[in-house]
Amino acid sequence: MRLVKITERLLAAIPLMLGVAIIVFLFMRMTPGDPVDIMMGQSGAVTAGEIERLRSEFNLDKPLHEQLLLFLGGVARGDLGNSFQRQQPVTRLIAERLPATIELALGALIFGLLVAFPIGVISAVKQNSAIDRLSMAGAFLGISMPSFWLGILLIMLFSVNLKWLPVQGRIGSDIQLQVVTGFYTIDSILTGNWPAFISSLRHLILPSITLGAAVAAIIARVLRSSLLEILRSDYVKLARAKGASETRTVMKHALRNAMIPTVTVLGLQVGVLLGGNMIVEAVFGWPGLGRLVVDAIFNRDFPLVQGAVMVYALTFILANLIVDVLYTYLNPKIEM
Amino acid sequence: MSNRISRLFALLLVMGLLVAACAPAAPAPAPAADGSQPAEPPSAGAQTIVVALTGAPTTLDPADHRSRLSETVIRNMFDGLVTRDTTNGVHLELAESAELIDPQTWEFKLRQGVKFHDGSEMTADDVVFTFNRIIQENMIEYPEPHTSPRKGLIAPLASVEKVDDYTVRFNLSAPWPPAMQLFVHQQIVPKAYLEAVGTQGFVERPVGAGPFKFVEGQLDDQIVMERFDEYWGGAPTLPPVGPACVARAIFRVIPEASTRVAALLAGEVHIIQGVPPELIGTLEAAEGVVVKTAAGTQPKWMEMNVNQPPFDNKIVRQALNHLIDKELLVEALYDGRAVVLPGVLSPYNSFADDSLTPYAYDPETALSMLAEAGIVDSDGDGRLEWNGAPWSFVVDSLDEHRTLAEAVVAQLQGAGIDASLRLWEYSVVKPLLDAGERTAYLDDWGDSAFDPVGHMEAKWHGVEAGSPYGRGNFSGYNNPRVNELIKAGETETDEARRRAIYNEAQAILYDDAPAIFLILPEEVEASRANVTNWEPASDSRINLHDVCLE
């Protein structure tokens, strides 16, 4: 039954993606700025013929509806077109960079959860204690601190002064790694390349902390408040009255119910982690999708922006689907 | 229990599918250029130099880009017929001699025994193929057939013909004095290899005749090259000659300036490009780091719309040139690492008129000139009025010039002008500038060929729609005599006569002042102290052939 529902949801995503494709196509063309103008830049003898030629190469000389049909026809065949600036298929450019972005997002998610869970639980159990106030102040800081600033502070402290961790990149420049999946930590395990594993893990730490700080803060706060509410509920009182230990009461009875709002927020955060990491990727020289997209937007590289936005949209849809599936496990009364 | 396990399994499956869907088709591990597997990682102490770039190259195909960063990397793997030193001197590279046999024909004799990385020898066929691939239509077939974006850089080149195995003749459509400066930017590719593997194969495994050969890399991340031991040696006029000093060279992409600086301080990279003025002090104070500069190639000015009153009055434009304290800008914003522009051309341009000196900072003269044009503080409130209202206008600029633009606007305000700043994205403001709708625009215009061509016709010639003339002219300036001189200079092959032509044009432009001639910042780069024989180049080339590590 659940698999049927999942399949239904996946099929329902198709018209949604079509809508996204059309909207992003139209928005890019409504944005002021001409890709050919930007591409030509200042240098060289730019002739009228050259500009016309590029325009026709990019199909920009065709009427808008024809361009849209060409684009949608390509999408249906799994062809997102070729990047104007880089003269490479968009699918290929995205596929090369997506693993870096996902690896960083997962690193940030793991960091966020590792920090948020103990803090959220302890703050709720020891409400209004010094540790609660301290960790909630920390969470406030985590939400408010701009990631580029946090990133640079971490680099200055841990990389430049203490020299514990590398400043930037995904792996040391002296390390060679055979790429299998594009996830460097996984690839290094698959190929048994331990120096590469350690190097890629070390490179992952600071960007993960920078990207994950806000996630940790948000999750800790949500978990704390939902746990507080549940700890005051009748069934928790009953569990205590029955003589269940405090640990068992919190971990077994309260936490699972507190997970539902937490997972909802987490689902949204996964989208933010994948889509909102342009700044962290720029600060840490992380060769992911975010940097590619920012460049593409400034260069009005229509096909590349369109392709990337569709990937982001798909990620959000899938993240929401996973959240909905998780609900049914956390509370069997909920149906998809 | 088994139900729970199956649920868990289903969940894992969904997550697995997500990950699998996102992962790329596993690219094969890149074999070395000679077909063998990549070499073992170098042991500690092996000479590997790491350079931090300000952004990602767009390709490693010398014919398929319009990007300085791409060229910076490419020129370490590919050689051209000619090359340039760190200033503006052109030297013979793969060409043994170059002769202008008539005003429209260049003849190049090629060096013999030059090897490409695949072991084949360079001949006239490769040179003819390289240039035909650029100047003929639709010669680049991947990902879809298109014409080289570099065609426009060598637009006067009509055809290339092979005379014998080591002689090539270039036929021009008109005399073209700056030809040599522009041939520097075209690198030779191996015909047989490229035809065998196609453009797609070539961009994945580029092969050139330069000092380093490609090992592996992803353009957004890093590009790894190793010394080509059979390198022919490099331009004899630019010692040292022979194979490169370091065994491996790596270009890493670090777009964020403060991260580049941190990576240099931490010793992760050896050379960094694009040091912003505000971080120069940090680097100079650090141990083990050297800051170096090269003459800049991005002169900056504030153009004034000569068709909008009161800027249609030459006296107003001259007055503003006297009103801005450019020396102060150089000291305060660039820590002295910039020069004041003496006119429309960079002082490093080969045809800059030495007799011109920058407009002197003289607020009193400026105010009296403005008064002459009817702009005065008539009510004594400290603000200048024009036509009975406070004189007010917007200065447009781009975020990359923010600091300079803020300082210029502040100086205008200090003099009682109600000026304000608006920052734009270039692609958004450009159509408005082209339409003559804006009043004042602060920007730069690249001058890396050190020749007036590429610059004079773009900025100071009247706009001729659909032609290179006036393509960067945002002041609306259009002086028939200057137009005539600019066109004459493009084809005049006698150097003295050409100089006289440009001197006259520069004198007229200096007097007409369609812009506030501001400053030319130096290119600031930095290295670890153990990097020897390295100098930054004006055209942002990073020549790793000569560099050694101590």
Side-chain angles (χ1 to χ4, degrees):
Chain A
M1 191 58 197
R2 188 177 276 128
L3 275 178
V4 174
K5 291 275 187 193
I6 291 175
T7 316
E8 271 174 22
R9 288 279 297 272
L10 286 174
L11 288 175
I14 294 174
L16 204 56
M17 291 301 294
L18 184 71
V20 169
I22 293 173
I23 290 173
V24 66
F25 175 90
L26 292 176
F27 273 26
M28 275 317 283
R29 272 141 188 94
M30 277 156 57
T31 317
D34 182 342
V36 176
D37 243 8
I38 300 168
M39 190 171 174
M40 288 288 100
Q42 301 178 340
S43 57
V46 183
T47 59
E50 199 172 5
I51 286 175
E52 293 316 310
R53 185 172 49 67
L54 277 170
R55 241 179 255 291
S56 94
E57 253 168 41
F58 298 159
N59 288 325
L60 293 171
D61 55 346
K62 295 194 170 65
L64 202 60
H65 65 272
E66 261 182 59
Q67 292 183 42
L68 179 63
L69 285 179
L70 279 172
F71 168 58
L72 292 179
V75 171
R77 293 191 306 274
D79 173 13
L80 294 172
N82 300 316
S83 155
F84 293 166
Q85 283 277 330
R86 297 172 188 244
Q87 294 294 345
Q88 293 267 339
V90 167
T91 41
R92 184 196 166 118
L93 288 170
I94 292 178
E96 275 174 3
R97 285 146 186 91
L98 199 56
T101 295
I102 294 179
E103 190 169 44
L104 175 55
L106 287 178
L109 192 65
I110 291 169
F111 167 79
L113 294 179
L114 284 179
V115 173
F117 265 82
I119 288 183
V121 173
I122 293 170
S123 311
V125 173
K126 311 261 182 214
Q127 196 194 358
N128 294 331
S129 65
I131 191 163
D132 176 30
R133 286 169 202 278
L134 198 70
S135 46
M136 284 305 110
F140 191 68
L141 205 65
I143 294 173
S144 330
M145 186 144 24
S147 55
F148 66 89
W149 191 54
L150 175 63
I152 288 169
L153 287 185
L154 290 174
I155 289 175
M156 290 317 289
L157 178 63
F158 291 106
S159 310
V160 176
N161 290 327
L162 296 172
K163 298 200 190 301
W164 289 352
L165 291 167
V167 174
Q168 55 75 44
R170 284 184 80 190
I171 198 163
S173 51
D174 54 339
I175 303 265
Q176 284 188 331
L177 173 66
Q178 187 177 337
V179 176
V180 184
T181 63
F183 295 83
Y184 284 4
T185 43
I186 296 174
D187 291 351
S188 50
I189 294 173
L190 290 178
T191 55
N193 186 344
W194 300 112
F197 179 70
I198 291 167
S199 175
S200 54
L201 212 54
R202 279 162 47 82
H203 280 80
L204 198 52
I205 294 174
L206 291 185
S208 296
I209 294 176
T210 310
L211 187 60
V215 178
I218 291 167
I219 300 295
R221 286 178 72 96
V222 171
L223 187 61
R224 173 181 177 273
S225 54
S226 47
L227 202 53
L228 276 176
E229 200 180 312
I230 285 159
L231 286 174
R232 292 194 194 101
S233 66
D234 292 341
Y235 63 86
V236 171
K237 282 181 195 156
L238 179 69
R240 284 186 180 135
K242 275 167 65 183
S245 71
E246 187 63 19
T247 316
R248 189 178 159 81
T249 311
V250 173
M251 301 312 282
K252 174 85 184 162
H253 297 287
L255 191 58
R256 184 160 170 180
N257 284 298
M259 283 303 288
I260 290 183
T262 312
V263 165
T264 311
V265 174
L266 198 59
L268 296 173
Q269 289 300 312
V270 169
V272 173
L273 283 179
L274 284 171
N277 57 4
M278 285 95 168
I279 290 167
V280 177
E281 285 186 5
V283 169
F284 288 95
W286 193 266
L289 196 55
R291 252 173 53 191
L292 186 74
V293 175
V294 172
D295 280 353
I297 292 172
F298 280 114
N299 290 321
R300 301 289 186 273
D301 195 335
F302 296 159
L304 191 46
V305 177
Q306 286 159 190
V309 171
M310 289 182 68
V311 169
Y312 285 137
L314 192 64
T315 317
F316 266 91
I317 291 172
L318 289 177
N320 274 307
L321 181 60
I322 292 171
V323 167
D324 287 352
V325 174
L326 279 175
Y327 282 164
T328 63
Y329 286 93
L330 292 167
N331 185 349
K333 281 195 278 184
I334 297 176
E335 280 185 20
M336 279 190 71
Chain B
M1 194 65 193
S2 68
N3 189 26
R4 184 168 287 189
I5 290 174
S6 71
R7 282 181 196 174
L8 194 66
F9 181 74
L11 186 68
L12 284 175
L13 192 70
V14 172
M15 292 177 80
L17 281 175
L18 170 66
V19 172
C22 297
D34 55 5
S36 65
Q37 286 300 305
E40 284 299 301
S43 54
Q47 297 238 298
T48 298
I49 188 153
V50 186
V51 178
L53 295 174
T54 55
T58 56
T59 181
L60 296 179
D61 181 346
D64 204 10
H65 67 91
R66 263 292 175 88
S67 137
R68 257 199 195 195
L69 282 164
S70 303
E71 204 179 324
T72 298
V73 177
I74 284 170
R75 280 172 70 185
N76 285 290
M77 282 188 271
F78 295 86
D79 279 359
L81 292 176
V82 285
T83 189
R84 195 184 281 129
D85 53 33
T86 53
T87 52
N88 61 1
V90 173
H91 299 254
L92 294 169
E93 200 168 40
L94 293 175
E96 201 169 54
S97 69
E99 192 190 349
L100 191 62
I101 53 178
D102 67 59
Q104 287 177 232
T105 313
W106 277 97
E107 187 173 278
F108 289 95
K109 293 249 183 259
L110 305 177
R111 287 184 204 283
Q112 301 191 17
V114 172
K115 287 262 176 71
F116 285 111
H117 303 155
D118 65 350
S120 61
E121 199 200 334
M122 182 203 63
T123 66
D125 290 325
D126 299 303
V127 176
V128 172
F129 175 79
T130 296
F131 282 92
N132 279 340
R133 195 163 169 261
I134 296 168
I135 62 176
Q136 293 178 359
E137 303 274 313
N138 289 324
M139 288 294 283
I140 304 175
E141 81 290 357
Y142 174 79
E144 272 168 36
H146 61 280
T147 305
S148 167
R150 300 186 82 67
K151 181 178 161 74
L153 294 174
I154 47 172
L157 180 61
S159 66
V160 187
E161 56 183 301
K162 171 180 170 177
V163 177
D164 60 46
D165 275 354
Y166 297 99
T167 312
V168 185
R169 213 167 267 179
F170 283 32
N171 303 308
L172 309 177
S173 55
W176 187 34
M180 281 307 198
Q181 286 284 3
L182 285 152
F183 284 141
V184 167
H185 300 286
Q186 315 297 339
Q187 295 80 31
I188 306 302
V189 297
K191 175 175 189 269
Y193 174 77
L194 214 157
E195 284 181 339
V197 299
T199 298
Q200 183 174 7
F202 184 72
V203 292
E204 280 164 15
R205 299 223 58 76
V207 164
F212 292 92
K213 56 183 182 182
F214 178 81
V215 176
E216 60 177 354
Q218 186 187 314
L219 297 175
D220 273 359
D221 187 7
Q222 65 172 12
I223 296 145
V224 182
M225 303 180 285
E226 64 186 17
R227 179 172 52 216
F228 178 45
D229 290 322
E230 292 169 79
Y231 182 54
W232 64 279
T237 47
L238 291 172
V241 172
C245 180
V246 294
R248 279 163 73 88
I250 298 175
F251 283 97
R252 284 193 94 131
V253 179
I254 312 180
E256 170 59 39
S258 39
T259 311
R260 278 198 303 282
V261 167
L264 183 72
L265 291 175
E268 276 178 35
V269 300
H270 297 98
I271 296 176
I272 62 172
Q273 271 193 319
V275 177
E278 65 272 17
L279 290 174
I280 294 173
T282 310
L283 284 174
E284 280 180 333
E287 266 179 50
V289 170
V290 182
V291 178
K292 288 186 179 176
T293 56
T297 57
Q298 301 279 328
K300 297 175 197 288
W301 39 67
M302 188 188 99
E303 279 166 276
M304 293 166 278
N305 189 336
V306 300
N307 299 313
Q308 261 184 24
F311 291 109
D312 56 347
N313 185 347
K314 180 168 89 176
I315 295 172
V316 174
R317 304 194 299 263
Q318 289 174 337
L320 292 195
N321 267 290
H322 284 299
L323 198 62
I324 299 296
D325 187 352
K326 285 145 299 204
E327 294 292 346
L328 180 67
L329 299 174
V330 168
E331 284 311 314
L333 303 181
Y334 295 89
D335 202 19
R337 293 178 192 268
V339 292
V340 175
L341 289 179
V344 292
L345 284 181
S346 141
Y348 303 113
N349 191 293
S350 316
F351 287 85
D353 181 355
D354 298 338
S355 68
L356 295 177
T357 52
Y359 274 87
Y361 170 57
D362 186 351
E364 269 178 43
T365 307
L367 289 176
S368 69
M369 288 169 85
L370 287 175
E372 200 181 318
I375 301 169
V376 282
D377 179 11
S378 45
D379 54 9
D381 65 351
R383 288 169 159 206
L384 297 177
E385 281 96 33
W386 175 65
N387 273 351
W391 186 32
S392 161
F393 62 89
V394 176
V395 176
D396 299 309
S397 190
L398 311 178
D399 194 52
E400 60 192 280
H401 309 303
R402 177 193 286 269
T403 323
L404 177 65
E406 281 171 346
V408 169
V409 168
Q411 289 197 14
L412 293 171
Q413 289 167 343
I417 299 168
D418 182 17
S420 56
L421 174 65
R422 181 160 175 188
L423 295 174
W424 301 76
E425 219 185 293
Y426 178 67
S427 58
V428 178
V429 74
K430 170 123 191 322
L432 304 177
L433 294 166
D434 286 340
E437 289 175 15
R438 307 304 301 172
T439 306
Y441 180 60
L442 190 153
D443 196 4
D444 58 14
W445 193 269
D447 179 27
S448 57
F450 303 96
D451 190 276
V453 173
H455 187 90
M456 289 293 268
E457 88 285 2
K459 287 297 312 175
W460 313 115
H461 191 290
V463 178
E464 283 178 13
S467 83
Y469 297 103
R471 67 180 185 275
N473 178 341
F474 303 132
S475 60
Y477 181 77
N478 191 359
N479 179 324
R481 178 61 187 156
V482 172
N483 294 349
E484 198 181 318
L485 290 165
I486 288 173
K487 282 195 170 132
E490 282 176 355
T491 51
E492 177 55 68
T493 45
D494 179 86
E495 196 185 315
R497 278 204 298 268
R498 198 167 178 234
R499 193 168 291 283
I501 288 170
Y502 284 124
N503 281 356
E504 186 186 341
Q506 287 173 77
I508 298 172
L509 281 157
Y510 181 88
D511 185 59
D512 279 347
I516 302 180
F517 307 120
L518 293 170
I519 50 125
L520 172 67
E522 291 170 9
E523 302 274 343
V524 184
E525 300 185 354
S527 78
R528 300 293 305 175
N530 64 342
V531 175
T532 58
N533 215 5
W534 164 75
E535 287 299 327
S538 286
D539 59 1
S540 6
R541 181 187 185 194
I542 296 181
N543 176 3
L544 295 180
H545 169 253
D546 300 350
V547 172
C548 288
L549 289 174
E550 273 176 358

